[in-house]
Amino acid sequence: MKPLRIGLLGIGTVGGGTFDVLTRNAEEISRRAGRPLSVVRVAARNEAKARKVVPASIPLVTDFRAVVRDPEVDVVVELMGGYEPAKALILDAIEHGKHVVTANKALLAVHGNEIFSAARAKGVIVAFEAAVAGGIPIIKALREGLVANRIEWIAGIINGTTNFILSEMRSKGLAFADVLKQAQAKGYAEADPTFDIEGVDAGHKISILAALAFGIPLSFDKAHIEGITKIEAIDIRYAEEMGYRIKLLGIARRRAAGIELRVHPTLIPARRLIANVEGVMNAVLVKGDAVGATLYYGAGAGAQPTASAVIADLVDVARLIDADVNHRVPYLAFQPDRIGSEPVLPIDEVESSYYLRLRVDDRPGVLADITRVLADNMISIDAMLQKEPAEGEAQTDIILLTHETIEGRIRRAIAAIEAQPSTRGKIVLLRLENLA
Ligand code: NDP
Ligand code: HSE
């Protein structure tokens, strides 16, 4: 059978990995796809660098537009990253009737609604397995394997860089900046690592998962996002003393009033499998009403794991290229005319449990004043830890874990407790999820 002809845009970490795996496993992949997968054009801005990976037999150009318009190309694989020129090139490829495979979660989370709509009008595939959780086939699971279920919630460790940083900080006591440098050297971090450490990359990914799970449009602009830069070693330690690990989680949950869409550092019970996902590994927990909880685990970043997902998409394209357009799986799992309009809830309306660390005067009545404020706001305490004041100090740390409550109540309670004269400085708030 005629090969699937691939035009590759960008040949960095993932592009190089894709090239390696396609070459190494060519025979096995073609037996699965029913035709060979053949890279026929590569676009790179630095030819000399790209030639180290691309053999002389494959044309290498610096004109990216020439590749997306080339009649010899069936599918364009965008592995450049960023918003532009990636968006313009993908839209141009679609306009020229090319199928598209991309790992670019930033682009899809922000401009995906427009890209899918253009692709639908042209009847071409846009596949994006590599955009979430690297090598884990979570897109396939949500779009196909779990279609019988009403999805209740998703909670995922979906950024390898931050999981690597938190793991190394906890287990080796290393400093944040040093571990970030290691993650960059290993090719895990985004071109702009603030996307990783500020939770933006995880926000892109959970927005994509939420659209697939709940049949809503991509809603990254409404997600609540916090990163790991404010996490202090002391909170990692106190959490551990109380039986919890801190992970950067992407959470999407269906509530009666709408959808929770949030990324933030989260305490999770240390006994949960997902709490023990360390290093660059990712894991996604999906709770469906029929199947119950399912857990997907694997490498969330890196050249070859991500290539595994890119090539899975290419095989899907190879198998479906001649099929009737109406027989394809919808881009976002739900039929486009059946996308819902549930609102994304503002953070004040989110329900969670909380970890609060307070610095207070160590004298009678202080704890009673704090618990009174919590009771006034209908917040129930689940556990408490009070540390001995250090030698010669008149203040101490109190750590409170609450039962589930509405975030607006916690914020009101924190403001009232911070206003008490016995409270010193700002209260540290972290969310806690039992994931039961
Ligand atoms: P790299 O930076 O390693 O590679 C990007 C490639 O695209 C390089 O060849 C680069 O050229 C080229 N490129 C980037 N911007 C431009 C531009 N404006 N014009 C022309 N060429 C450009 O990135 P990755 O391979 O790590 O990431 C690629 C995509 O995959 C991104 O969308 C990323 O988010 C996603 N992804 C990455 C994962 C990973 O583990 N790294 C995992 C999952 C997804 P040059 O070499 O000259 O800079
Ligand atoms: N920077 C991303 C991460 C790459 O660290 O998870 C994979 O999407």
Side-chain angles (χ1 to χ4, degrees):
M1 204 184 256
K2 183 160 117 341
L4 179 76
R5 298 166 305 174
I6 300 164
L8 200 55
L9 308 181
I11 185 124
T13 303
V14 182
T18 301
F19 210 90
D20 285 352
V21 179
L22 273 176
T23 309
R24 190 175 71 232
N25 296 344
E27 166 63 12
E28 191 101 1
I29 292 168
S30 104
R31 282 170 61 207
R32 290 190 166 118
R35 61 177 88 211
L37 270 51
S38 171
V39 178
V40 296
R41 303 277 184 277
V42 176
R45 62 181 162 192
N46 181 336
E47 267 189 87
K49 193 170 144 197
R51 265 295 167 223
K52 292 187 183 142
V53 182
V54 182
S57 56
I58 299 176
L60 185 58
V61 295
T62 48
D63 181 357
F64 284 60
R65 216 162 266 278
V67 172
V68 304
R69 295 181 176 186
D70 192 326
E72 296 300 308
V73 168
D74 301 311
V75 54
V76 168
V77 180
E78 183 276 305
L79 298 175
M80 308 161 67
Y83 299 110
E84 291 293 359
K87 180 185 171 200
L89 288 167
I90 285 179
L91 289 174
D92 203 30
I94 291 170
E95 187 54 36
H96 285 81
K98 314 291 184 198
H99 303 286
V100 172
V101 171
T102 178
N104 195 335
K105 57 267 169 158
L107 180 64
L108 289 180
V110 176
H111 299 291
N113 296 321
E114 179 187 347
I115 289 170
F116 294 129
S117 157
R120 191 159 44 252
K122 279 290 188 178
V124 297
I125 298 168
V126 174
F128 52 96
E129 185 63 69
V132 182
I136 305 174
I138 186 64
I139 306 288
K140 191 90 155 171
L142 283 169
R143 289 205 324 175
E144 300 180 44
L146 296 174
V147 285
N149 290 266
R150 185 174 162 82
I151 305 293
E152 295 171 4
W153 53 262
I154 298 178
I157 296 173
I158 44 181
N159 182 269
T161 302
T162 46
N163 202 48
F164 179 73
I165 293 173
L166 289 174
S167 302
E168 298 284 295
M169 283 174 75
R170 187 187 66 79
S171 62
K172 300 189 184 149
L174 295 177
F176 179 92
D178 294 340
V179 195
L180 173 61
K181 276 194 205 120
Q182 284 183 39
Q184 286 175 294
K186 287 171 188 277
Y188 306 151
E190 295 303 303
D192 177 358
T194 56
F195 268 34
D196 296 294
I197 59 180
E198 296 296 357
V200 177
D201 176 71
H204 291 145
K205 292 168 176 166
I206 195 69
S207 306
I208 295 172
L209 295 183
L212 295 168
F214 305 128
I216 56 170
L218 291 155
S219 308
F220 170 71
D221 54 330
K222 301 186 186 78
H224 175 86
I225 293 173
E226 290 172 29
I228 62 165
T229 48
K230 297 195 184 80
I231 290 289
E232 293 180 48
I234 195 169
D235 294 308
I236 297 179
R237 230 176 32 244
Y238 285 157
E240 195 141 40
E241 277 182 45
M242 299 182 89
Y244 294 86
R245 295 259 166 95
I246 299 180
K247 296 286 182 188
L248 185 75
L249 283 192
I251 298 173
R253 193 188 304 263
R254 197 196 288 270
R255 297 274 187 199
I259 305 290
E260 291 182 1
L261 189 57
R262 48 193 171 107
V263 172
H264 47 71
T266 313
L267 275 77
I268 43 185
R271 63 183 183 282
R272 297 266 180 268
L273 274 176
I274 194 167
N276 293 284
V277 170
E278 299 284 34
V280 72
M281 302 310 274
N282 279 195
V284 185
L285 248 177
V286 183
K287 174 84 191 315
D289 66 339
V291 72
T294 53
L295 179 65
Y296 308 82
Y297 169 84
Q304 299 221 351
T306 313
S308 166
V310 170
I311 296 168
D313 280 344
L314 286 169
V315 170
D316 271 352
V317 174
R319 287 169 172 164
L320 292 169
I321 198 163
D322 297 324
D324 182 336
V325 176
N326 297 314
H327 293 161
R328 294 191 191 137
V329 180
Y331 305 102
L332 290 174
F334 287 69
Q335 297 298 337
D337 57 343
R338 306 292 297 276
I339 299 292
S341 56
E342 289 94 324
V344 173
L345 297 172
I347 191 67
D348 265 7
E349 290 175 31
V350 154
E351 288 173 54
S352 178
S353 301
Y354 294 86
Y355 161 105
L356 305 178
R357 171 163 61 84
L358 307 84
R359 186 89 188 141
V360 293
D361 292 344
D362 187 29
R363 58 176 170 72
V366 168
L367 194 54
D369 290 344
I370 294 167
T371 54
R372 194 169 312 112
V373 173
L374 293 174
D376 288 348
N377 284 280
M378 295 193 303
I379 296 163
S380 161
I381 297 170
D382 180 42
M384 199 197 88
L385 179 71
Q386 178 168 359
K387 305 305 284 185
E388 282 287 311
E391 184 80 26
E393 280 194 12
Q395 283 124 29
T396 187
D397 282 344
I398 291 180
I399 296 92
L400 293 168
L401 304 185
T402 76
H403 284 294
E404 200 167 86
T405 185
I406 295 167
E407 177 131 346
R409 289 187 191 154
I410 278 284
R411 297 221 171 259
R412 281 193 290 280
I414 286 179
I417 296 170
E418 281 178 349
Q420 292 179 346
S422 50
T423 307
R424 306 287 158 166
K426 288 278 177 204
I427 294 175
V428 172
L429 170 149
L430 293 169
R431 298 175 190 84
L432 182 157
E433 296 285 340
N434 274 304
L435 304 180

